[in-house]
Amino acid sequence: MTTQTSTRPAPGRAGVADPVLVGCSHGTNDPIGRQVVRRILDDVRAARPRLDVREAFVDVQEPEVADVVTSVVTADGGSGRAVVVPLLLSGGYHVEVDIAEAVADRDGPSARAVATPALGPDHRLVDLLAHRLTEAGVRPHDAVVVAAAGSSRSGAARDVERVAAGLREWHPGPVTVGYGAKARPSVPYAVAAARAALADAAGPEQRDGGATTPRVVVAAYLLAPGYFYDRVLEASADVVTAPLGADPRLTSIVLDRYDTAVAALAAGE
């Protein structure tokens, strides 16, 4: 599937500066993970050169999203507008509480801030996850475990399940889900369950450890390396994909979320 990055101008009003795009990620201590998130936003800047794109976080790193939004909407005498795009794959506490609170009570006539939904679920994320599985050498008879960060909010799990459902349309073998925290089943449990199911279904010719023996492949449904990816690597899967990372499909989703929010802002003025 070929995906083109959106390079069209944002749907703002003539003569009015486009709202600032605030790309808000979780935050990580992993230096490679930080580089990946910066590259995602750099790709957005490259696709939309005139757009002011800023970085913000809900945890671990600074600046905090509320501080970035405040700096935008109070700039130039309070004429700034901000659209916060969560660089998060599913809805959950950070989207529904942290980011929502950062834009709350800023809906005045000259200073506005809104937040978009999370990046997922989206068919382009399914496509990207399938691409990472192909890179990792997944085979048709392998069992795939989609490993997501996890959330205490049930909506986040529904988002992940929708992505897994899309992946089942692409992969002929079994596809299940595991979570890094705050949701069940855990990734290690899901890996063990997938391995047990493969063993129960295998014939004698598939138990010799050869090329025909099904494996458990974890599809890391994570944006970048960091704490959760390290836990996924410890889950005893046979193969683990790379995180989604910077990709034109992600750039396209970010800009689509932004453009939809800008259009809504313009319609409300």
Side-chain angles (χ1 to χ4, degrees):
M1 182 185 299
T2 301
T3 302
Q4 294 183 345
T5 300
S6 173
T7 57
R8 65 185 183 277
R13 295 181 300 166
V16 178
D18 292 329
V20 173
L21 190 160
V22 180
C24 181
S25 60
H26 181 276
T28 178
N29 288 318
D30 187 289
I32 298 177
R34 292 185 177 192
Q35 291 174 13
V36 170
V37 172
R38 290 193 193 104
R39 185 180 167 193
I40 291 171
L41 292 180
D42 284 344
D43 287 350
V44 173
R45 294 183 182 100
R48 197 75 62 81
R50 296 182 181 180
L51 181 60
D52 186 349
V53 178
R54 305 188 191 181
E55 191 174 39
F57 307 93
V58 293
D59 200 1
V60 182
Q61 291 180 249
E62 293 182 344
E64 294 182 0
V65 60
D67 292 339
V68 176
V69 171
T70 298
S71 70
V72 171
V73 301
T74 58
D76 300 324
S79 62
R81 298 183 299 166
V83 172
V84 180
V85 180
L87 301 183
L88 301 165
L89 296 173
S90 304
Y93 185 89
H94 292 309
V95 174
E96 297 171 7
V97 178
D98 293 330
I99 293 175
E101 289 181 352
V103 302
D105 301 323
R106 301 186 187 277
D107 196 13
S110 61
R112 286 186 156 186
V114 296
T116 78
L119 301 181
D122 190 283
H123 69 90
R124 288 164 290 190
L125 292 175
V126 177
D127 187 37
L128 179 50
L129 203 55
H131 183 73
R132 293 287 176 261
L133 282 164
T134 299
E135 288 179 333
V138 70
R139 302 178 304 202
H141 51 285
D142 289 337
V144 171
V145 175
V146 178
S151 171
S152 60
R153 304 268 169 145
S154 59
R158 288 195 296 270
D159 289 348
V160 176
E161 288 292 348
R162 286 179 61 185
V163 170
L167 202 58
R168 290 185 189 105
E169 297 180 5
W170 173 82
H171 181 64
V175 177
T176 55
V177 174
Y179 298 96
K182 298 183 180 180
R184 294 290 182 269
S186 68
V187 175
Y189 183 94
V191 168
R195 180 165 287 119
L198 288 176
D200 289 342
E205 71 283 357
Q206 294 179 316
R207 296 178 181 144
D208 60 3
T212 61
T213 302
R215 304 167 302 171
V216 177
V217 180
V218 167
Y221 189 52
L222 304 165
L223 277 185
Y227 175 83
F228 286 118
Y229 189 63
D230 289 343
R231 302 292 78 75
V232 168
L233 293 174
E234 297 170 353
S236 301
D238 298 304
V239 180
V240 177
T241 72
L244 299 183
D247 185 273
R249 284 159 284 210
L250 275 176
T251 305
S252 179
I253 296 170
V254 170
L255 288 173
D256 283 351
R257 296 286 186 271
Y258 171 82
D259 289 343
T260 299
V262 171
L265 277 176
E269 292 176 348

